[in-house]
């Protein structure tokens, strides 16, 4: 979408005024912010054009305008200016990270709480394995005519087991045959390759009509997904209530319930690589609970095939520039911190120094 420079300046002004005041923005406020000689009538005309382009909305008759989701997207992609975090905030972050070297196992929780406090939005912090985790070996142990134990050895040397009760009988020869087929077809592959087609082919190979293969496959997929997640923490979910968009308690509660579900958190948008910020705005979020919210997240390299992620969830009227600065500075600090640790933080080994690039988001 092509916008004139004047329209870009007006759109930026409307977004920043609305972020700050949470009230529809009128032409007079835009004139004052731009300190321009352009008349209020001209600004109104340009705002009307931006509305017809789907970048602004008029919530009430005779009211000012607010940005639409598309307007925020143009702002984030083209108009948002890099913001430096304050010297005080930089000192707080540095102090908090340094201060928790002695208790590294709590670092994810501390990072989430600190991010939430500095941004005023709910924050989440997680770490996950980037290497492929797979099953190295299956053993099926007969207990009685309707009960057996699944024992799995994962490629990271973790052993997991599950007691299975069936509504039909199963004989030891069946379990022996099934173990052999599983060790031939289900080992050495990631969970995304355990497909319905593979399950169906395995059922045919062993003559399984009782759904035993499907039970084992479901357990296997659950183990492999769990093995990739090192930790997840959500902090400050109640901060939503301090923002006018979530004065509706029912609406806020739906989002808070969503954010406190670790399985749902794992589905939140994630950047592709360390140092990259990913921002999803309003309807860009797939979850219905987040259709009126924005999510911003950044990854950092934690070494030993582990990547960490910090993110925030807030209204679409989010202070995108401020949040981006804080998340970038935090991710950079964590990369340096984990690169120098000689501890068992998330069972990590020391990594190389910061891989987030040279951009500095703190004040000199």
């Amino acid at each position: 979408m092509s916008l004139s420079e004047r329209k870009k300046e007006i759109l930026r002004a409307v977004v920043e005024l609305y972020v700050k005041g949470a009230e529809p923005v009128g032409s007079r406020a835009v004139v004052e912010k731009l300190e321009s000689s352009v008349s209020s009538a001209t600004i109104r005309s340009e705002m009307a054009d931006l509305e017809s382009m789907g970048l602004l909305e008029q919530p009430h008759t005779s009211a000012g305008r607010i940005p639409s989701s598309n307007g925020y997207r143009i702002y984030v992609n083209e108009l948002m200016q890099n913001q430096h975090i304050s010297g005080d905030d930089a000192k707080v972050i540095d102090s908090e990270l340094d201060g928790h070297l002695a208790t590294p196992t709590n670092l994810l929780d501390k990072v989430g709480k600190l991010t939430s406090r500095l941004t005023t939005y709910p924050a989440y912090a997680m770490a996950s394995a980037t290497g492929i985790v797979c099953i190295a070996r299956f053993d099926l142990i007969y207990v009685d005519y309707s009960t057996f134990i699944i024992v799995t050895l994962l490629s990271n040397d973790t052993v997991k087991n599950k007691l299975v009760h069936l509504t039909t009988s199963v004989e030891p020869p069946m379990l022996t045959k099934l173990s052999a087929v599983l060790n031939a077809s289900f080992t050495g592959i990631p969970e995304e390759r355990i497909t319905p087609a593979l399950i169906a082919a395995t059922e045919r190979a062993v003559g399984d009509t009782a759904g035993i293969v499907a039970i084992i496959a479901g357990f296997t997929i659950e183990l492999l997904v769990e093995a990739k997640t090192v930790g997840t923490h959500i902090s400050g979910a109640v901060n939503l209530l301090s923002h006018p968009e979530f004065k509706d308690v029912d609406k806020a509660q739906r989002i808070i319930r969503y954010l406190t579900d670790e399985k749902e958190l794992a589905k939140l948008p994630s950047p592709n690589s360390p140092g990259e910020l990913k921002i999803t705005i309003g309807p860009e979020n797939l979850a219905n609970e987040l259709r009126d919210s924005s999510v911003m997240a950044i990854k950092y390299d934690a070494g030993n095939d582990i990547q960490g992620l910090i993110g925030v969830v807030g209204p679409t009227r989010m202070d995108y520039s401020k949040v981006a600065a804080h998340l970038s500075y935090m991710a950079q600090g964590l990369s340096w911190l984990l690169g120098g640790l000689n501890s068992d933080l998330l069972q990590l080994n020391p990594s190389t120094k910061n891989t987030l690039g040279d951009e500095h988001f703190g004040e000199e």
Side-chain angles (χ1 to χ4, degrees):
M1 184 180 296
S2 178
L3 294 178
S4 67
E5 288 304 313
R6 177 186 287 171
K7 282 185 170 62
K8 288 180 180 179
E9 288 300 316
I10 292 171
L11 179 58
R12 179 190 287 121
V14 172
V15 170
E16 293 176 354
L17 287 167
Y18 185 58
V19 165
K20 184 177 180 180
E23 294 289 342
V25 178
S27 58
R28 184 174 300 176
V30 174
V31 170
E32 292 176 357
K33 180 173 178 61
L34 296 180
E35 298 180 350
S36 170
S37 59
V38 178
S39 70
S40 185
T42 300
I43 297 294
R44 278 196 300 274
S45 176
E46 294 279 31
M47 291 173 70
D49 287 346
L50 289 168
E51 183 179 355
S52 67
M53 298 168 74
L55 303 181
L56 295 181
E57 297 173 347
Q58 191 170 23
H60 306 291
T61 305
S62 301
R65 267 79 167 187
I66 64 174
S68 67
S69 295
N70 288 334
Y72 283 122
R73 173 50 63 194
I74 295 291
Y75 173 79
V76 166
N77 287 356
E78 302 180 22
L79 308 178
M80 183 174 73
Q81 298 173 332
N82 284 341
Q83 182 180 132
H84 296 287
I85 70 171
S86 70
D88 288 342
D89 282 357
K91 289 176 183 177
V92 168
I93 293 171
D94 294 343
S95 175
E96 287 283 330
L97 295 184
D98 289 343
H100 288 99
L101 283 171
T103 57
T105 54
N106 295 325
L107 189 57
L108 279 181
D109 184 44
K110 302 298 181 183
V111 165
K113 289 178 179 177
L114 178 59
T115 303
S116 179
R117 189 170 83 238
L118 293 175
T119 63
T120 75
Y121 303 121
Y124 59 100
M126 60 181 68
S128 59
T130 58
I132 295 176
V133 180
C134 55
I135 302 294
R137 179 180 172 82
F138 285 94
D139 285 294
L140 304 181
I141 302 174
Y142 179 83
V143 177
D144 60 36
Y145 73 96
S146 63
T147 310
F148 69 97
I149 300 172
I150 309 169
V151 181
T152 58
L153 172 65
L154 277 67
S155 58
N156 61 6
D157 294 328
T158 302
V159 176
K160 297 285 187 178
N161 60 73
K162 180 177 182 177
L163 182 66
V164 178
H165 297 284
L166 300 172
T167 57
T168 57
S169 62
V170 60
E171 298 297 329
M174 174 64 166
L175 293 180
T176 300
K177 183 179 182 181
L178 186 50
S179 292
V181 174
L182 289 171
N183 280 306
S185 350
F186 277 58
T187 55
I189 61 175
E191 81 277 358
E192 58 265 22
R193 287 180 55 189
I194 302 176
T195 61
L198 176 61
I199 295 170
T202 306
E203 288 174 335
R204 290 193 298 271
V206 299
D208 172 30
T209 59
I212 299 174
V213 173
I215 292 172
I216 297 171
F219 176 60
T220 301
I221 292 170
E222 181 180 323
L223 285 182
L224 296 181
V225 171
E226 180 183 290
K228 293 196 300 186
T229 302
V230 180
T232 302
H233 294 268
I234 181 74
S235 302
V238 294
N239 285 352
L240 280 176
L241 299 173
S242 65
H243 297 280
E245 291 86 349
F246 301 104
K247 293 295 185 183
D248 181 337
V249 176
D250 289 339
K251 180 179 179 181
Q253 285 180 339
R254 285 195 298 272
I255 299 179
I256 290 172
R257 282 195 295 269
Y258 179 87
L259 295 178
T260 51
D261 185 331
E262 287 194 6
K263 291 183 179 179
E264 296 298 341
L265 271 184
K267 300 175 186 176
L268 286 174
S270 176
N272 293 320
S273 58
E276 176 189 348
L277 273 167
K278 186 173 183 66
I279 303 171
T280 51
I281 300 169
E284 296 172 2
N285 291 293
L286 298 180
N288 287 331
E289 293 87 344
L290 302 178
R291 302 289 282 182
D292 296 322
S293 303
S294 286
V295 180
M296 187 183 301
I298 191 169
K299 276 187 177 179
Y300 58 91
D301 187 355
N304 197 35
D305 291 328
I306 300 288
Q307 285 186 348
L309 181 144
I310 321 165
V312 300
V313 178
T316 53
R317 188 189 56 84
M318 180 186 289
D319 191 337
Y320 296 95
S321 180
K322 176 184 176 181
V323 174
H326 280 81
L327 290 184
S328 297
Y329 190 87
M330 187 85 71
Q332 189 176 46
L334 283 166
S335 184
W336 279 98
L337 174 64
L338 297 177
L341 271 180
N342 288 311
S343 69
D344 62 346
L345 172 60
L346 302 177
Q347 299 180 340
L348 306 183
N349 293 325
S351 67
T352 56
K353 287 189 177 181
N354 173 34
T355 59
L356 298 180
D358 297 325
E359 189 168 8
H360 180 59
F361 288 83
E363 292 184 345
E364 298 293 342

